[in-house]
Amino acid sequence: SGVARHDASGNPTRYDYTIFDMRERRVYEDELRTAQKHADELAAIVRSSPNAILRVDDAGLIRSWNHSAERLFGHTGKDVMGRAVLDIVHFADHPDWFTHAVEICRTEPEAVLEPSGAHGHDFEITVVPIESDDLADPSRSYSVILRDISQRRKVERRLQVAMGEMKHRVKNTLAVVSGIARQSLPSELRDEFIGRLHALSRAHDVLTDEGVKGADLRDLLALTAEEAGGPTRFRVSGPSVPLSAAQASSLSMALHELTTNALKYGALSERGGYVQVDFDHGVASPGRVRLVWQERDGPSVTPPQHHGFGSKMINRVLAVDIDAQVEFDYRPDGIVCAISFDA
């Protein structure tokens, strides 16, 4: 910065300059401009968001209220500022939704609720704690995002109706096929064929109960345990493994064949025999599922001279439908079947 010195007549006689080192200030100013830019971008996102976005303090009072909140609830930010959020945003089926969300946030990073509002609207509410940077006021506030999911809920309800109708029709079709089999097939083939139909029917029940995306391996094994005689005779150890619809159907058929064979000739044919099923996900290689079926305390096993329809079907169905690797080991103390596939 410079200052000019003048004589009595006003003519400049000297110029004094002071030079400051402002490198630290420049860094601070650059950081301030960057922070302001980010704040402006964030404010623009909040203003233009189709979701209602609020900031609510620890006492449950509204501290900020965006345009979409005005549109959804019919109150301006000026009208609601400092008022209790439960008085402005209320749901008949969740009257204490904010209090409940705060309790969840004491142990979880966020709380997600799905209450129903007035006039048939459904909402998804996400509540996230905002920690204060002010050491003098360490109180906590909360970011509250309300998303109108009414259209999604309508689609889900229509899908549930369609799934119920599909389940009913598939059941009827399988019942017709079962009736035809009872009248047409010889007795030595009839029971096995109908048993396979029932295995498909149970897999279909699991799929429709879980939704169109698929099922869980533990659910299929729980059904197999019922067929095998309960958890004492069918012991399972492994994590949750989501399955596609094709994987669930194919594995259900394979598990039915293994169980039928164990009941007729293997460990489940004797009182003290049982089946141990261990499976893991991503242990041998990422995304790879390995299931090991091992029969124990049953009759002594000898390798078969030829492979029956059941073992052929297991290999064919699992290899073709879900690209699985199947290995049989006919140990004297019990059959071992290892199945590996990509989840």
Side-chain angles (χ1 to χ4, degrees):
S1 61
V3 178
R5 308 298 181 181
H6 302 83
D7 59 17
S9 301
N11 298 315
T13 59
R14 188 175 82 246
Y15 297 93
D16 295 338
Y17 293 94
T18 305
I19 300 176
F20 300 92
D21 185 347
M22 58 169 291
R23 285 174 293 185
E24 290 186 3
R25 195 185 82 185
R26 175 59 60 83
V27 171
Y28 166 76
E29 290 174 346
D30 289 343
E31 290 177 350
L32 187 61
R33 280 192 290 269
T34 300
Q36 184 63 48
K37 180 182 177 182
H38 290 166
D40 291 342
E41 291 174 350
L42 182 60
I45 292 172
V46 172
R47 284 194 302 270
S48 61
S49 173
N51 304 319
I53 302 177
L54 295 68
R55 185 171 67 87
V56 183
D57 65 19
D58 206 22
L61 304 180
I62 298 172
R63 295 305 176 193
S64 66
W65 179 268
N66 75 338
H67 178 71
S68 290
E70 294 183 4
R71 177 179 54 82
L72 282 173
F73 299 104
H75 300 286
T76 66
K78 183 179 179 180
D79 293 336
V80 302
M81 209 60 57
R83 295 178 61 182
V85 68
L86 291 178
D87 292 340
I88 305 300
V89 183
H90 47 81
F91 303 100
D93 58 341
H94 283 73
D96 296 325
W97 64 268
F98 181 73
T99 306
H100 179 54
V102 168
E103 286 299 319
I104 294 174
C105 289
R106 296 190 191 282
T107 56
E108 301 294 333
E110 67 177 15
V112 180
L113 310 173
E114 292 192 358
S116 297
H119 311 297
H121 284 273
D122 298 300
F123 289 90
E124 178 189 80
I125 303 177
T126 303
V127 180
V128 180
I130 304 173
E131 301 296 343
S132 174
D133 293 330
D134 187 355
L135 297 179
D137 181 18
S139 62
R140 168 185 280 191
S141 60
Y142 298 86
S143 167
V144 179
I145 301 176
L146 296 99
R147 181 179 296 107
D148 190 337
I149 59 170
S150 303
Q151 287 300 116
R152 191 190 81 188
R153 283 285 182 85
K154 288 180 181 178
V155 172
E156 289 174 351
R157 285 190 283 267
R158 287 198 295 267
L159 182 61
Q160 288 174 354
V161 172
M163 290 288 289
E165 177 66 19
M166 184 187 72
K167 182 177 180 179
H168 177 69
R169 292 189 181 189
V170 170
K171 284 283 190 181
N172 286 344
T173 301
L174 291 176
V176 170
V177 174
S178 179
I180 294 173
R182 292 181 189 278
Q183 299 176 28
S184 306
L185 293 177
S187 58
E188 63 271 16
L189 299 177
R190 181 177 60 221
D191 293 340
E192 289 187 4
F193 180 78
I194 293 175
R196 292 178 181 119
L197 277 182
H198 288 169
L200 277 177
S201 178
R202 289 193 299 272
H204 180 260
D205 287 340
V206 171
L207 287 171
T208 51
D209 289 341
E210 292 291 329
V212 295
K213 291 184 179 180
D216 194 284
L217 179 55
R218 292 188 299 189
D219 296 329
L220 293 185
L221 290 170
L223 293 174
T224 307
E226 294 179 8
E227 186 179 0
T232 302
R233 308 210 65 192
F234 193 85
R235 307 171 188 182
V236 178
S237 176
S240 174
V241 179
L243 302 173
S244 68
Q247 289 172 334
S249 298
S250 299
L251 285 169
S252 178
M253 293 290 291
L255 291 170
H256 171 74
E257 292 298 327
L258 289 169
T259 304
T260 300
N261 185 75
L263 286 167
K264 285 184 176 181
Y265 316 110
L268 299 179
S269 66
E270 295 191 356
R271 184 181 299 272
Y274 67 95
V275 174
Q276 177 70 45
V277 177
D278 299 308
F279 59 97
D280 57 63
H281 184 192
V283 174
S285 61
R288 194 75 174 168
V289 177
R290 178 174 171 81
L291 182 149
V292 178
W293 168 295
Q294 183 168 3
E295 300 183 20
R296 295 176 175 171
D297 294 345
S300 180
V301 175
T302 56
Q305 298 300 315
H306 67 279
H307 293 288
F309 174 80
S311 60
K312 289 180 180 179
M313 192 205 73
I314 291 173
N315 280 282
R316 187 176 301 116
V317 167
L318 294 183
V320 173
D321 289 355
I322 64 174
D323 194 25
Q325 293 180 343
V326 182
E327 300 174 0
F328 280 97
D329 186 359
Y330 297 93
R331 300 177 184 177
D333 59 343
I335 293 175
V336 176
C337 177
I339 304 171
S340 299
F341 60 95
D342 288 328

Short mmCIF file of all heavy atoms in Angstrom, two decimals, residues 247-289:
data_model
loop_
_atom_site.label_atom_id
_atom_site.label_comp_id
_atom_site.label_asym_id
_atom_site.label_seq_id
_atom_site.Cartn_x
_atom_site.Cartn_y
_atom_site.Cartn_z
N GLN A 247 -31.53 -69.66 -9.82
CA GLN A 247 -30.73 -70.39 -8.85
C GLN A 247 -31.62 -71.06 -7.80
O GLN A 247 -31.40 -72.21 -7.42
CB GLN A 247 -29.74 -69.45 -8.17
CG GLN A 247 -28.61 -68.99 -9.07
CD GLN A 247 -27.76 -67.90 -8.43
OE1 GLN A 247 -28.24 -67.16 -7.59
NE2 GLN A 247 -26.51 -67.80 -8.85
N ALA A 248 -32.64 -70.33 -7.33
CA ALA A 248 -33.53 -70.89 -6.32
C ALA A 248 -34.27 -72.11 -6.85
O ALA A 248 -34.38 -73.14 -6.16
CB ALA A 248 -34.53 -69.82 -5.85
N SER A 249 -34.78 -72.04 -8.08
CA SER A 249 -35.52 -73.18 -8.65
C SER A 249 -34.61 -74.38 -8.85
O SER A 249 -34.96 -75.52 -8.48
CB SER A 249 -36.14 -72.77 -9.99
OG SER A 249 -37.07 -71.73 -9.82
N SER A 250 -33.43 -74.17 -9.41
CA SER A 250 -32.52 -75.28 -9.68
C SER A 250 -32.00 -75.92 -8.40
O SER A 250 -31.96 -77.15 -8.26
CB SER A 250 -31.34 -74.79 -10.53
OG SER A 250 -31.79 -74.30 -11.76
N LEU A 251 -31.61 -75.09 -7.43
CA LEU A 251 -31.11 -75.64 -6.16
C LEU A 251 -32.21 -76.37 -5.40
O LEU A 251 -31.94 -77.37 -4.73
CB LEU A 251 -30.53 -74.52 -5.30
CG LEU A 251 -29.16 -74.00 -5.74
CD1 LEU A 251 -28.81 -72.72 -4.99
CD2 LEU A 251 -28.08 -75.06 -5.49
N SER A 252 -33.45 -75.88 -5.50
CA SER A 252 -34.55 -76.56 -4.83
C SER A 252 -34.72 -77.97 -5.37
O SER A 252 -34.91 -78.94 -4.61
CB SER A 252 -35.84 -75.76 -5.00
OG SER A 252 -36.92 -76.43 -4.40
N MET A 253 -34.64 -78.12 -6.69
CA MET A 253 -34.73 -79.44 -7.31
C MET A 253 -33.58 -80.33 -6.86
O MET A 253 -33.76 -81.51 -6.52
CB MET A 253 -34.73 -79.30 -8.82
CG MET A 253 -35.97 -78.62 -9.39
SD MET A 253 -37.44 -79.66 -9.26
CE MET A 253 -37.05 -80.96 -10.42
N ALA A 254 -32.35 -79.78 -6.86
CA ALA A 254 -31.18 -80.57 -6.48
C ALA A 254 -31.27 -81.01 -5.02
O ALA A 254 -30.98 -82.17 -4.68
CB ALA A 254 -29.91 -79.76 -6.72
N LEU A 255 -31.66 -80.10 -4.12
CA LEU A 255 -31.78 -80.45 -2.70
C LEU A 255 -32.85 -81.50 -2.48
O LEU A 255 -32.71 -82.39 -1.62
CB LEU A 255 -32.10 -79.18 -1.89
CG LEU A 255 -30.97 -78.15 -1.80
CD1 LEU A 255 -31.48 -76.85 -1.19
CD2 LEU A 255 -29.81 -78.69 -0.96
N HIS A 256 -33.94 -81.43 -3.26
CA HIS A 256 -34.98 -82.46 -3.15
C HIS A 256 -34.44 -83.82 -3.54
O HIS A 256 -34.71 -84.83 -2.87
CB HIS A 256 -36.17 -82.08 -4.03
CG HIS A 256 -37.20 -83.17 -4.14
ND1 HIS A 256 -38.06 -83.49 -3.10
CD2 HIS A 256 -37.47 -84.03 -5.15
CE1 HIS A 256 -38.84 -84.50 -3.47
NE2 HIS A 256 -38.50 -84.84 -4.71
N GLU A 257 -33.67 -83.88 -4.63
CA GLU A 257 -33.11 -85.17 -5.06
C GLU A 257 -32.15 -85.73 -4.01
O GLU A 257 -32.18 -86.93 -3.70
CB GLU A 257 -32.39 -84.99 -6.40
CG GLU A 257 -33.30 -84.68 -7.57
CD GLU A 257 -34.31 -85.79 -7.84
OE1 GLU A 257 -33.97 -86.98 -7.62
OE2 GLU A 257 -35.43 -85.47 -8.26
N LEU A 258 -31.30 -84.88 -3.46
CA LEU A 258 -30.36 -85.33 -2.43
C LEU A 258 -31.11 -85.83 -1.19
O LEU A 258 -30.73 -86.84 -0.59
CB LEU A 258 -29.41 -84.20 -2.06
CG LEU A 258 -28.36 -83.81 -3.11
CD1 LEU A 258 -27.68 -82.50 -2.73
CD2 LEU A 258 -27.32 -84.92 -3.26
N THR A 259 -32.16 -85.11 -0.80
CA THR A 259 -32.92 -85.51 0.38
C THR A 259 -33.64 -86.82 0.15
O THR A 259 -33.67 -87.70 1.03
CB THR A 259 -33.94 -84.41 0.74
OG1 THR A 259 -33.25 -83.17 0.92
CG2 THR A 259 -34.69 -84.76 2.01
N THR A 260 -34.26 -86.97 -1.03
CA THR A 260 -34.97 -88.22 -1.35
C THR A 260 -34.01 -89.41 -1.31
O THR A 260 -34.33 -90.48 -0.75
CB THR A 260 -35.61 -88.11 -2.75
OG1 THR A 260 -36.55 -87.02 -2.75
CG2 THR A 260 -36.34 -89.38 -3.10
N ASN A 261 -32.82 -89.23 -1.88
CA ASN A 261 -31.83 -90.31 -1.88
C ASN A 261 -31.37 -90.64 -0.46
O ASN A 261 -31.20 -91.81 -0.09
CB ASN A 261 -30.64 -89.91 -2.74
CG ASN A 261 -29.62 -91.04 -2.88
OD1 ASN A 261 -29.84 -92.00 -3.60
ND2 ASN A 261 -28.50 -90.92 -2.16
N ALA A 262 -31.19 -89.58 0.37
CA ALA A 262 -30.76 -89.81 1.75
C ALA A 262 -31.85 -90.52 2.57
O ALA A 262 -31.55 -91.34 3.44
CB ALA A 262 -30.40 -88.48 2.41
N LEU A 263 -33.11 -90.22 2.29
CA LEU A 263 -34.22 -90.87 3.01
C LEU A 263 -34.36 -92.34 2.59
O LEU A 263 -34.72 -93.20 3.41
CB LEU A 263 -35.52 -90.13 2.73
CG LEU A 263 -35.70 -88.78 3.43
CD1 LEU A 263 -36.87 -88.01 2.84
CD2 LEU A 263 -35.90 -88.98 4.94
N LYS A 264 -34.09 -92.63 1.33
CA LYS A 264 -34.25 -94.01 0.84
C LYS A 264 -33.05 -94.88 1.17
O LYS A 264 -33.19 -96.00 1.66
CB LYS A 264 -34.47 -93.99 -0.68
CG LYS A 264 -35.85 -93.54 -1.10
CD LYS A 264 -35.97 -93.65 -2.63
CE LYS A 264 -37.36 -93.30 -3.10
NZ LYS A 264 -37.50 -93.42 -4.57
N TYR A 265 -31.85 -94.35 0.89
CA TYR A 265 -30.67 -95.19 0.96
C TYR A 265 -29.56 -94.65 1.86
O TYR A 265 -28.66 -95.40 2.24
CB TYR A 265 -30.07 -95.38 -0.45
CG TYR A 265 -31.08 -95.67 -1.52
CD1 TYR A 265 -31.37 -94.73 -2.50
CD2 TYR A 265 -31.76 -96.89 -1.55
CE1 TYR A 265 -32.30 -94.99 -3.49
CE2 TYR A 265 -32.70 -97.16 -2.54
CZ TYR A 265 -32.97 -96.19 -3.51
OH TYR A 265 -33.90 -96.47 -4.47
N GLY A 266 -29.58 -93.38 2.17
CA GLY A 266 -28.46 -92.77 2.86
C GLY A 266 -28.65 -92.58 4.35
O GLY A 266 -29.36 -93.34 5.02
N ALA A 267 -28.06 -91.50 4.89
CA ALA A 267 -28.01 -91.29 6.33
C ALA A 267 -29.39 -91.13 6.95
O ALA A 267 -29.63 -91.55 8.09
CB ALA A 267 -27.16 -90.05 6.64
N LEU A 268 -30.33 -90.53 6.21
CA LEU A 268 -31.67 -90.31 6.77
C LEU A 268 -32.52 -91.56 6.79
O LEU A 268 -33.64 -91.55 7.31
CB LEU A 268 -32.38 -89.20 5.98
CG LEU A 268 -31.70 -87.82 6.00
CD1 LEU A 268 -32.50 -86.83 5.18
CD2 LEU A 268 -31.54 -87.30 7.43
N SER A 269 -32.01 -92.67 6.22
CA SER A 269 -32.75 -93.93 6.25
C SER A 269 -32.57 -94.66 7.58
O SER A 269 -33.28 -95.63 7.86
CB SER A 269 -32.30 -94.84 5.10
OG SER A 269 -30.94 -95.24 5.28
N GLU A 270 -31.62 -94.22 8.41
CA GLU A 270 -31.40 -94.82 9.73
C GLU A 270 -31.72 -93.81 10.82
O GLU A 270 -31.60 -92.60 10.64
CB GLU A 270 -29.96 -95.31 9.84
CG GLU A 270 -29.64 -96.44 8.87
CD GLU A 270 -28.31 -97.10 9.16
OE1 GLU A 270 -27.59 -96.62 10.08
OE2 GLU A 270 -27.98 -98.10 8.49
N ARG A 271 -32.10 -94.34 11.99
CA ARG A 271 -32.60 -93.49 13.06
C ARG A 271 -31.58 -92.43 13.50
O ARG A 271 -31.93 -91.28 13.73
CB ARG A 271 -32.99 -94.35 14.26
CG ARG A 271 -33.61 -93.58 15.41
CD ARG A 271 -33.93 -94.51 16.55
NE ARG A 271 -34.89 -95.51 16.14
CZ ARG A 271 -36.22 -95.35 16.21
NH1 ARG A 271 -36.72 -94.20 16.66
NH2 ARG A 271 -37.05 -96.31 15.84
N GLY A 272 -30.33 -92.81 13.65
CA GLY A 272 -29.33 -91.86 14.16
C GLY A 272 -28.62 -91.07 13.10
O GLY A 272 -27.78 -90.21 13.41
N GLY A 273 -28.94 -91.29 11.83
CA GLY A 273 -28.24 -90.59 10.76
C GLY A 273 -28.73 -89.15 10.59
O GLY A 273 -29.86 -88.81 10.94
N TYR A 274 -27.85 -88.32 10.03
CA TYR A 274 -28.24 -86.93 9.78
C TYR A 274 -27.41 -86.37 8.63
O TYR A 274 -26.42 -86.98 8.19
CB TYR A 274 -28.05 -86.08 11.04
CG TYR A 274 -26.62 -85.88 11.48
CD1 TYR A 274 -25.89 -84.76 11.10
CD2 TYR A 274 -25.99 -86.83 12.30
CE1 TYR A 274 -24.58 -84.58 11.51
CE2 TYR A 274 -24.68 -86.66 12.71
CZ TYR A 274 -23.98 -85.54 12.31
OH TYR A 274 -22.67 -85.37 12.71
N VAL A 275 -27.83 -85.22 8.14
CA VAL A 275 -27.14 -84.52 7.06
C VAL A 275 -26.60 -83.21 7.60
O VAL A 275 -27.32 -82.47 8.29
CB VAL A 275 -28.09 -84.25 5.87
CG1 VAL A 275 -27.39 -83.40 4.81
CG2 VAL A 275 -28.57 -85.56 5.25
N GLN A 276 -25.34 -82.93 7.30
CA GLN A 276 -24.73 -81.66 7.67
C GLN A 276 -24.49 -80.85 6.39
O GLN A 276 -23.83 -81.32 5.47
CB GLN A 276 -23.39 -81.89 8.39
CG GLN A 276 -22.65 -80.61 8.75
CD GLN A 276 -23.34 -79.84 9.86
OE1 GLN A 276 -23.75 -80.41 10.87
NE2 GLN A 276 -23.46 -78.53 9.67
N VAL A 277 -25.06 -79.66 6.34
CA VAL A 277 -24.87 -78.78 5.19
C VAL A 277 -24.13 -77.52 5.65
O VAL A 277 -24.63 -76.77 6.48
CB VAL A 277 -26.22 -78.38 4.54
CG1 VAL A 277 -25.98 -77.41 3.38
CG2 VAL A 277 -26.95 -79.62 4.05
N ASP A 278 -22.94 -77.31 5.12
CA ASP A 278 -22.14 -76.11 5.41
C ASP A 278 -21.97 -75.34 4.11
O ASP A 278 -21.65 -75.93 3.07
CB ASP A 278 -20.77 -76.49 5.98
CG ASP A 278 -20.88 -77.26 7.29
OD1 ASP A 278 -21.57 -76.77 8.20
OD2 ASP A 278 -20.30 -78.35 7.38
N PHE A 279 -22.14 -74.03 4.18
CA PHE A 279 -21.95 -73.22 2.98
C PHE A 279 -21.33 -71.88 3.35
O PHE A 279 -21.48 -71.40 4.48
CB PHE A 279 -23.26 -73.03 2.21
CG PHE A 279 -24.36 -72.36 2.99
CD1 PHE A 279 -24.60 -71.01 2.87
CD2 PHE A 279 -25.16 -73.10 3.85
CE1 PHE A 279 -25.62 -70.39 3.58
CE2 PHE A 279 -26.17 -72.49 4.58
CZ PHE A 279 -26.41 -71.13 4.43
N ASP A 280 -20.61 -71.31 2.42
CA ASP A 280 -19.98 -70.00 2.64
C ASP A 280 -20.14 -69.16 1.38
O ASP A 280 -20.51 -69.67 0.31
CB ASP A 280 -18.51 -70.14 3.02
CG ASP A 280 -17.70 -70.91 1.97
OD1 ASP A 280 -17.61 -70.42 0.83
OD2 ASP A 280 -17.17 -71.99 2.29
N HIS A 281 -19.85 -67.88 1.50
CA HIS A 281 -20.02 -66.93 0.40
C HIS A 281 -18.77 -66.06 0.32
O HIS A 281 -18.49 -65.29 1.23
CB HIS A 281 -21.27 -66.07 0.64
CG HIS A 281 -21.58 -65.14 -0.48
ND1 HIS A 281 -22.49 -64.13 -0.38
CD2 HIS A 281 -21.09 -65.08 -1.75
CE1 HIS A 281 -22.56 -63.47 -1.53
NE2 HIS A 281 -21.71 -64.03 -2.37
N GLY A 282 -18.01 -66.21 -0.75
CA GLY A 282 -16.84 -65.37 -0.96
C GLY A 282 -15.60 -65.80 -0.21
O GLY A 282 -14.64 -65.03 -0.15
N VAL A 283 -15.56 -67.00 0.35
CA VAL A 283 -14.38 -67.46 1.09
C VAL A 283 -13.30 -67.96 0.12
O VAL A 283 -12.16 -67.53 0.17
CB VAL A 283 -14.75 -68.55 2.11
CG1 VAL A 283 -13.49 -69.12 2.77
CG2 VAL A 283 -15.69 -67.99 3.17
N ALA A 284 -13.68 -68.87 -0.77
CA ALA A 284 -12.71 -69.41 -1.72
C ALA A 284 -12.32 -68.36 -2.76
O ALA A 284 -11.15 -68.21 -3.11
CB ALA A 284 -13.28 -70.65 -2.40
N SER A 285 -13.31 -67.62 -3.26
CA SER A 285 -13.06 -66.53 -4.22
C SER A 285 -14.22 -65.55 -4.13
O SER A 285 -15.33 -65.94 -3.76
CB SER A 285 -12.93 -67.09 -5.65
OG SER A 285 -14.11 -67.74 -6.04
N PRO A 286 -13.99 -64.28 -4.46
CA PRO A 286 -15.05 -63.27 -4.32
C PRO A 286 -16.31 -63.64 -5.11
O PRO A 286 -16.24 -64.00 -6.28
CB PRO A 286 -14.40 -62.00 -4.88
CG PRO A 286 -12.92 -62.22 -4.71
CD PRO A 286 -12.72 -63.69 -4.91
N GLY A 287 -17.46 -63.55 -4.44
CA GLY A 287 -18.73 -63.80 -5.10
C GLY A 287 -19.07 -65.26 -5.31
O GLY A 287 -20.15 -65.59 -5.82
N ARG A 288 -18.18 -66.16 -4.92
CA ARG A 288 -18.40 -67.59 -5.14
C ARG A 288 -19.04 -68.23 -3.92
O ARG A 288 -18.61 -68.02 -2.79
CB ARG A 288 -17.07 -68.28 -5.44
CG ARG A 288 -17.18 -69.69 -6.02
CD ARG A 288 -17.60 -69.66 -7.45
NE ARG A 288 -17.57 -71.01 -8.05
CZ ARG A 288 -18.12 -71.30 -9.23
NH1 ARG A 288 -18.73 -70.35 -9.92
NH2 ARG A 288 -18.05 -72.52 -9.73
N VAL A 289 -20.10 -69.03 -4.16
CA VAL A 289 -20.77 -69.76 -3.09
C VAL A 289 -20.35 -71.22 -3.17
O VAL A 289 -20.34 -71.82 -4.25
CB VAL A 289 -22.31 -69.65 -3.21
CG1 VAL A 289 -23.00 -70.48 -2.13
CG2 VAL A 289 -22.74 -68.19 -3.13
#
